[in-house]
Amino acid sequence: MVALESGETNSPIASHYIDARGEEITIAPHIVKHITTLMASPSSSGLTDTVVLYPSHDLITPTTGFMPTSWKFIPETGEPLEGLWQSGQKSWRLPANTPFGYHQLRLENGIQRYSMMIICAPQRCFIPPQLQHSAVWGSCIQLYTLRSQTNWGIGDFDDLKEWITRCAQQGASFVGLNPIHALYPAAPEQASPYSPSSREWLNIIYIAVPKVLAFQTSKWAQKWFHQHKIQQQLESLRNMNWVDYSQVTKFKLIGLHLAFREFRRHPDFKAERLKFAEFLNKGGTSLYRQGTFDALHRFLRNRFPNAQGWSQWSSAYHSPEAPEVVAFQHRHPRLIQFYCWLQWLAATQFAECAKRAIRCQMPIGLYRDVAVGVTGHGAQTWSERHYYCMDAEIGAPPDILGPLGQNWKLPPLDPQKLKQFHFQPFIEMIRANMKGCGALRLDHVMGLLRLWWLPKGEDARHGTYVHYPIDTMLAILALESQRHRCMIIGEDLGTVPQAIVTKLKTAGIFSYKVLYFEKDREHNFMQPEHYPNQSIATISTHDLPTLKGFFAHLDLKLGKQLGLYPDATVLSELHDERTLDCQKLITTIKQTFNLTRLPESQLNHFVHAFLAKTQSALLGLQPEDWLGMTQPVNIPGTETAYPNWRRKLTLNIDEIFSHTDVLELLALLEGIRSHPQPNDE
């Protein structure tokens, strides 16, 4: 086995890169120097801290002049092994039948002692056996957009269970979700699922309160819930076309506080309290700090009403070990326990959704989405700040449509700290998001190779790429993927270096193919047979216009209204390009189905049918396009100008799955996917 070092480049900081036009851009030396000062110093142990070993290659060779006299191998499970380093021995061989996992090797020479982590990993990520001989489809939803007759103004986990059942009845193999990471109960209007507080815990707003047993049995909760005024307000929240996060959170927390009082006191919940205690014990420090953060955030909002998070609190509260924080924990143990209990409820209800998918015999089941990072003022950076470079932010470099680039205002994980801590933050994050899932989508998967860093507060033009130890991170993904039987999908849109394209494919990671972008060199749309099998095909995403919006140029019209295109020439060129794209897409569809004309009334069905015929093993479609919706869920480049992450679906779940056009469309998709085209790859 060849040992791969955790860093694959001499310097992780790029001095140049190839931009969207294919031109080489040189980074100003002062920017490279500045970014260098923001990163932690490399480990000076002299030996590789982490090595990756694959089957059939099992040798480790020390990379320095250090000559050990003895070794000790500590496997992830089982008894340690040890022995002497023989005179003249140049390498160490992994013991026979060592299982996949995270192991330790310690080398000593009487004076010095070095320890390294060995990741014994499979070559590829898990791929469901069904995908080797069939093509499947599923729905990709933004959970908060679901409507039902019972939710409290936002899609919840009970709605998700029903959605799974209805989709499975139509032949769907999976249900994809937006990121459901923990956000901010004390600041609910910070609603972007891609700017989470933590990627290890869940968004408690998705708890279906009426399904909580303690809520059902509490006389106080039921008395409050059945008040005419409360019922009217909840009905009003249900009927709104946009999610009112503040009001929804307010009502859910009231109901859940009443339920928690019942849970703590009633003797009938003894068994449930034991389960919760086990959850607390398993969650450990991470869960306790998440609960502390949410409780403290709520407490401090009264003192700092405009503070978005810990970075704007009094400095006395900036660390979970600070005396003021410890004092708060001693004064408010019940409040902290309450927020930990909410995590238990969310995890329990989400697990029930996963079980529903299994009972419905979905081959893949739930498919979660992982945001590229966390905010600099949330629970995870407050609790684990040492993993992050807090003086930097990540984004995207300037390109054709965004001459100023993008700043996502997310502090990056420091690659040097990842190595120093044996990739533990990455491993824990991946594990947390794979629970109960058959697929995991990594937003901005290029982040495994490189991220665009810029000094905090700077615009994106003053940044550069920082490289990450991709080989080690891919090995971790493959290992955890196989252990959880969870396939990996990489969101690889935009300018993707060939270096990562090959690595992702070899590692068994599925590519993300959006219809709007799949064109050949002449800018004609790809025929279905040219889509790669190892991919998921989709019409659109949360950041792009719906199908109807695309053909009507509604995203460009909205962009003009919001001032996103101050240059009228650029906007005019975009309209011309869109008109041509629409014509070319129609032409491609007509060729595929041997049509002489394509009536506008049938356009939606034929676009879906076209994508269903592709070679992509997975097909993920949005209910917005089933319903012919036009309003986007998110407009990139806006924060308050447009109500991002709030727009609901136009029909509730019952109405969607009793709608004749929708049922005909899904039957069409199931028919095509059940008889996929021959794979020419």
Side-chain angles (χ1 to χ4, degrees):
M1 180 177 277
V2 178
L4 295 178
E5 296 190 16
S6 57
E8 284 80 8
T9 57
N10 293 329
S11 172
I13 302 173
S15 58
H16 61 276
Y17 72 98
I18 305 299
D19 72 1
R21 297 181 178 87
E23 299 175 359
E24 182 172 310
I25 304 297
T26 300
I27 306 296
H30 74 276
I31 294 177
V32 175
K33 183 177 180 180
H34 192 171
I35 296 297
T36 303
T37 64
L38 301 181
M39 293 181 61
S41 300
S43 171
S44 58
S45 68
L47 285 181
T48 303
D49 296 315
T50 303
V51 296
V52 175
L53 301 180
Y54 292 108
S56 76
H57 299 282
D58 56 2
L59 295 179
I60 290 178
T61 303
T63 56
T64 70
F66 168 73
M67 183 54 65
T69 57
S70 64
W71 58 267
K72 185 174 184 178
F73 179 66
I74 306 171
E76 187 175 29
T77 58
E79 295 296 322
L81 300 172
E82 53 189 322
L84 297 177
W85 194 278
Q86 302 300 324
S87 176
Q89 182 178 344
K90 296 182 179 180
S91 61
W92 178 86
R93 185 176 295 277
L94 198 68
N97 301 318
T98 299
F100 292 139
Y102 305 97
H103 315 299
Q104 276 193 333
L105 176 65
R106 294 176 182 171
L107 303 176
E108 296 185 37
N109 65 6
I111 301 173
Q112 295 172 297
R113 178 177 175 178
Y114 292 119
S115 177
M116 65 180 72
M117 182 171 79
I118 299 173
I119 303 176
C120 190
Q123 295 278 9
R124 288 168 63 82
C125 295
F126 173 76
I127 297 178
Q130 296 90 334
L131 296 188
Q132 296 177 10
H133 51 76
S134 64
V136 301
W137 69 275
S139 65
C140 296
I141 62 169
Q142 304 286 310
L143 182 52
Y144 51 86
T145 68
L146 292 186
R147 293 177 182 263
S148 71
Q149 297 177 334
T150 58
N151 73 36
W152 288 14
I154 189 171
D156 59 30
F157 288 133
D158 194 50
D159 291 336
L160 177 56
K161 284 172 67 176
E162 183 63 20
W163 186 266
I164 290 167
T165 301
R166 299 297 189 94
C167 286
Q169 289 171 349
Q170 302 304 317
S173 294
F174 63 88
V175 170
L177 299 171
N178 58 285
I180 55 174
H181 309 311
L183 295 183
Y184 309 87
E189 292 302 321
Q190 296 180 48
S192 171
Y194 291 93
S195 298
S197 175
S198 169
R199 292 189 292 180
E200 291 186 22
W201 300 102
L202 296 172
N203 188 350
I204 59 93
I205 203 170
Y206 293 127
I207 295 170
V209 181
K211 296 298 179 180
V212 176
L213 187 58
F215 180 81
Q216 296 172 358
T217 60
S218 167
K219 65 179 181 180
W220 297 108
Q222 291 302 304
K223 182 178 179 180
W224 168 80
F225 180 55
H226 288 291
Q227 292 179 71
H228 181 66
K229 179 178 69 173
I230 299 301
Q231 287 294 311
Q232 279 188 319
Q233 290 173 313
L234 292 177
E235 182 67 19
S236 176
L237 289 172
R238 268 193 292 273
N239 291 334
M240 292 177 67
N241 293 328
W242 306 83
V243 177
D244 185 335
Y245 282 100
S246 293
Q247 288 300 304
V248 169
T249 303
K250 170 189 167 183
F251 282 109
K252 290 207 173 192
L253 288 179
I254 290 173
L256 290 167
H257 270 292
L258 294 170
F260 185 56
R261 184 169 69 173
E262 177 83 354
F263 176 82
R264 285 193 301 108
R265 297 177 179 177
H266 201 286
D268 288 350
F269 287 100
K270 183 178 180 180
E272 294 296 297
R273 286 194 291 270
L274 289 174
K275 292 179 182 178
F276 175 49
E278 183 181 350
F279 181 80
L280 283 173
N281 183 58
K282 189 176 292 186
T285 301
S286 176
L287 175 58
Y288 185 65
R289 287 184 173 178
Q290 179 69 40
T292 299
F293 177 88
D294 286 337
L296 187 58
H297 195 186
R298 170 176 162 175
F299 175 77
L300 293 176
R301 285 285 283 183
N302 295 326
R303 298 190 186 185
F304 311 102
N306 296 321
Q308 290 187 326
W310 69 264
S311 60
Q312 295 171 319
W313 297 343
S314 165
S315 60
Y317 297 100
H318 278 194
S319 169
E321 292 97 359
E324 286 291 338
V325 174
V326 174
F328 173 84
Q329 291 170 332
H330 289 155
R331 291 194 306 267
H332 301 279
R334 291 298 184 202
L335 186 59
I336 294 171
Q337 190 182 50
F338 169 70
Y339 280 102
C340 292
W341 183 67
L342 297 188
Q343 287 297 328
W344 179 62
L345 290 180
T348 301
Q349 291 193 352
F350 182 73
E352 291 171 356
C353 294
K355 291 176 183 176
R356 175 66 61 88
I358 293 172
R359 284 198 298 271
C360 290
Q361 298 183 333
M362 279 188 162
I364 297 172
L366 290 174
Y367 142 20
R368 281 187 66 175
D369 195 354
V370 178
V372 69
V374 295
T375 65
H377 51 259
Q380 201 148 22
T381 50
W382 180 73
S383 175
E384 302 174 345
R385 201 171 320 156
H386 50 286
Y387 292 147
Y388 295 86
C389 183
M390 298 303 297
D391 293 322
E393 293 171 321
I394 58 174
D399 59 23
I400 299 168
L401 296 181
L404 299 180
Q406 299 178 51
N407 182 351
W408 302 330
K409 302 186 185 303
L410 305 174
L413 279 168
D414 190 321
Q416 305 294 4
K417 290 299 182 75
L418 276 175
K419 299 173 192 176
Q420 180 182 341
F421 289 95
H422 299 303
F423 297 84
Q424 204 57 36
F426 183 69
I427 294 169
E428 290 173 356
M429 183 274 291
I430 291 298
R431 285 176 175 170
N433 285 273
M434 282 185 175
K435 290 178 182 175
C437 292
L440 196 65
R441 175 188 181 271
L442 302 181
D443 188 51
H444 194 68
V445 75
M446 288 85 78
L448 296 175
L449 173 70
R450 66 184 190 182
L451 284 172
W452 184 258
W453 282 35
L454 50 142
K456 187 175 182 179
E458 290 280 4
D459 68 51
R461 292 172 297 179
H462 300 141
T464 187
Y465 278 113
V466 172
H467 287 259
Y468 284 74
I470 183 171
D471 288 327
T472 306
M473 297 171 83
L474 286 177
I476 291 168
L477 275 176
L479 176 55
E480 296 298 333
S481 169
Q482 293 286 355
R483 284 181 164 180
H484 290 83
R485 296 182 65 81
C486 179
M487 65 183 298
I488 305 295
I489 299 166
E491 187 268 295
D492 51 355
L493 304 178
T495 304
V496 185
Q498 186 58 42
I500 194 172
V501 172
T502 303
K503 285 181 179 291
L504 295 179
K505 183 175 182 179
T506 301
I509 295 176
F510 276 54
S511 182
Y512 203 75
K513 300 300 180 184
V514 178
L515 172 66
Y516 302 155
F517 303 143
E518 290 306 300
K519 304 174 187 176
D520 60 22
R521 294 180 180 178
E522 285 72 43
H523 301 286
N524 295 313
F525 284 88
M526 292 286 193
Q527 290 289 343
E529 61 270 19
H530 293 148
Y531 280 64
N533 180 258
Q534 191 175 301
S535 70
I536 178 171
T538 184
I539 291 175
S540 185
T541 74
H542 57 269
D543 281 338
L544 296 170
T546 64
L547 180 60
K548 190 169 184 178
F550 178 83
F551 274 93
H553 300 214
L554 292 180
D555 56 315
L556 301 180
K557 294 173 184 177
L558 262 176
K560 179 182 178 181
Q561 294 174 18
L562 299 173
L564 299 182
Y565 309 113
D567 188 332
T569 301
V570 170
L571 179 59
S572 177
E573 290 174 352
L574 290 173
H575 274 292
D576 291 343
E577 182 180 342
R578 178 65 56 80
T579 298
L580 185 60
D581 276 348
C582 292
Q583 293 171 351
K584 287 188 172 183
L585 180 54
I586 290 174
T587 298
T588 302
I589 291 173
K590 286 163 65 176
Q591 291 172 347
T592 301
F593 292 98
N594 295 316
L595 301 173
T596 56
R597 58 186 295 271
L598 178 55
E600 185 175 347
S601 61
Q602 297 180 29
L603 180 60
N604 192 332
H605 275 42
F606 271 104
V607 172
H608 279 82
F610 172 83
L611 214 58
K613 287 176 69 68
T614 63
Q615 292 297 315
S616 297
L618 302 178
L619 171 65
L621 299 171
Q622 300 182 142
E624 285 87 343
D625 292 325
W626 306 349
L627 301 172
M629 294 177 62
T630 57
Q631 288 276 14
V633 75
N634 174 55
I635 298 181
T638 64
E639 293 186 11
T640 59
Y642 183 82
N644 295 316
W645 320 113
R646 288 161 171 79
R647 192 266 293 127
K648 299 181 186 178
L649 297 177
T650 51
L651 299 179
N652 68 35
I653 297 173
D654 287 336
E655 292 167 335
I656 289 173
F657 288 99
S658 59
H659 195 290
T660 303
D661 284 350
V662 171
L663 295 179
E664 288 180 355
L665 175 60
L666 299 185
L668 174 66
L669 298 178
E670 173 64 10
I672 296 174
R673 290 262 107 183
S674 298
H675 300 86
Q677 302 300 306
N679 188 355
D680 294 331
E681 282 194 6

